[in-house]
Amino acid sequence: MVTIPESHPRYKSLQKREKIVAGIEAGITSRQGLIAHGRGEAFDYLIGERTLPAALRATEAAAALLLTAEKPVISVNGNVAALVPEKLIALSTLILAPLEVNIFYWTEERVQRIVAHLERLGATNVLGRDAEPRIPGITHARARADTAGIYAADVVFTPLEDGDRCEALIKMGKRVISVDLNPFSRTSRYATVSIVDDVERALDNLIALIRAAKLSTVTTPDFDNQRNLSAVIDEIIERLRVEESGC
Ligand code: PTJ
């Protein structure tokens, strides 16, 4: 990795790029993952590289959903395995949910590498090696699901998801929590709870909320995803207006 000085004004953003590049070099992240990351960066720039109030409300709803789930599962792709592996493992330990490797640009080798990477960092419950195409209506590799994982789950946490699979999981009766910086993506529109935030910030917030929650008092707040997505877009527009007027 190139060393970025902490004093650099874009330090955090450049660090994330380096992690994605390192992920590609380690055979964990797809090359297409760079393009997806760039799209995320563009939206994050519009958002102001901070958690919007509406994104925090979605994260609270996600925490409640995960804490009350019977069989939660965390889906892991090549981008999040490079960007936030330790945070995914921390979440998995906190809510007793398996991590399941599920990638769009599927190769067996990359699945094995992501599993090994997570296990090297301390993950003890990683699925995905034995996943077979089981999600109805999906003709690409993301149809794969492990019978003990995503296939049986009631709540699936899917950072940087594919719109098709999100829709298919919802059709299977599952509740889906997405993390996607693009509020207009099909994933954001289909998910039960859409967190429009950077995956690193979203996981920090989610983990802090879950650590602070008392399981006995957790209820799913009155959350309307479509209304919350509109609030996200309003907050972005308002930020751009303020930026434009130089206030
Ligand atoms: O490892 P694989 O093969 O499963 O591939 C993973 C990617 C992400 C390459 C694949 O799923 C893909 O092509 O995704 P898309 O369709 O480009 O969608 C990725 C979405 O994630 C886009 O809407 C981006 O805005 C968003 N995104 C990118 N980086 C981040 C992000 N959202 C949150 N945090 C990020 N850091």
Side-chain angles (χ1 to χ4, degrees):
M1 276 170 71
V2 172
T3 310
I4 311 287
E6 276 188 51
S7 56
H8 194 289
R10 305 211 42 75
Y11 173 74
K12 280 192 179 167
S13 175
L14 294 174
Q15 277 287 92
K16 284 175 197 166
R17 280 190 187 175
E18 289 306 313
K19 285 186 184 177
I20 292 285
V21 171
I24 293 170
E25 283 168 2
I28 288 168
T29 309
S30 67
R31 284 176 302 162
Q32 293 86 341
L34 266 178
I35 300 165
H37 186 77
R39 180 147 50 137
E41 275 189 355
F43 277 103
D44 208 18
Y45 210 78
L46 297 177
I47 285 171
E49 296 175 313
R50 74 206 152 101
T51 300
L52 294 169
L56 192 58
R57 280 199 296 281
T59 313
E60 286 165 358
L65 209 50
L66 287 171
L67 281 167
T68 51
E70 278 175 25
K71 285 189 178 177
V73 175
I74 300 165
S75 185
V76 180
N77 67 21
N79 280 49
V80 296
L83 287 170
V84 283
E86 292 92 350
K87 294 181 202 295
L88 293 169
I89 295 167
L91 180 64
S92 151
T93 309
L94 266 177
I95 60 170
L96 303 178
L99 297 161
E100 180 165 339
V101 177
N102 178 280
I103 57 177
F104 183 77
Y105 298 102
W106 190 91
T107 67
E108 185 157 1
E109 190 187 347
R110 199 152 67 85
V111 172
Q112 301 285 2
R113 280 181 194 257
I114 297 173
V115 172
H117 173 61
L118 295 169
E119 287 178 345
R120 206 165 34 243
L121 292 171
T124 52
N125 193 359
V126 189
L127 306 173
R129 270 169 293 213
D130 305 320
E132 298 281 343
R134 291 192 174 99
I135 303 178
I138 300 286
T139 49
H140 53 72
R142 276 201 143 174
R144 288 168 193 269
D146 195 299
T147 44
I150 288 171
Y151 192 75
D154 58 341
V155 176
V156 190
F157 179 71
T158 61
L160 280 65
E161 178 57 3
D162 175 280
D164 283 3
R165 190 177 68 140
C166 179
E167 189 183 2
L169 290 173
I170 297 274
K171 277 193 185 145
M172 287 173 84
K174 301 178 193 304
R175 284 176 296 172
V176 177
I177 300 165
S178 70
V179 182
D180 188 334
L181 279 158
N182 179 359
F184 306 104
S185 72
R186 291 175 60 242
T187 301
S188 293
R189 283 190 282 119
Y190 285 127
T192 316
V193 175
S194 309
I195 304 174
V196 180
D197 204 355
D198 169 67
V199 69
E200 192 175 334
R201 293 196 302 267
L203 274 164
D204 282 341
N205 290 332
L206 192 56
I207 289 168
L209 284 164
I210 289 175
R211 283 205 176 119
K214 289 196 182 68
L215 189 53
S216 55
T217 60
V218 170
T219 52
T220 307
D222 184 17
F223 181 81
D224 179 325
N225 201 47
Q226 298 312 320
R227 205 180 316 140
N228 202 62
L229 278 177
S230 298
V232 166
I233 294 163
D234 288 344
E235 286 170 13
I236 295 173
I237 293 170
E238 181 54 26
R239 188 192 109 70
L240 296 178
R241 267 208 201 102
V242 170
E243 190 90 341
E244 192 188 33
S245 62
C247 302

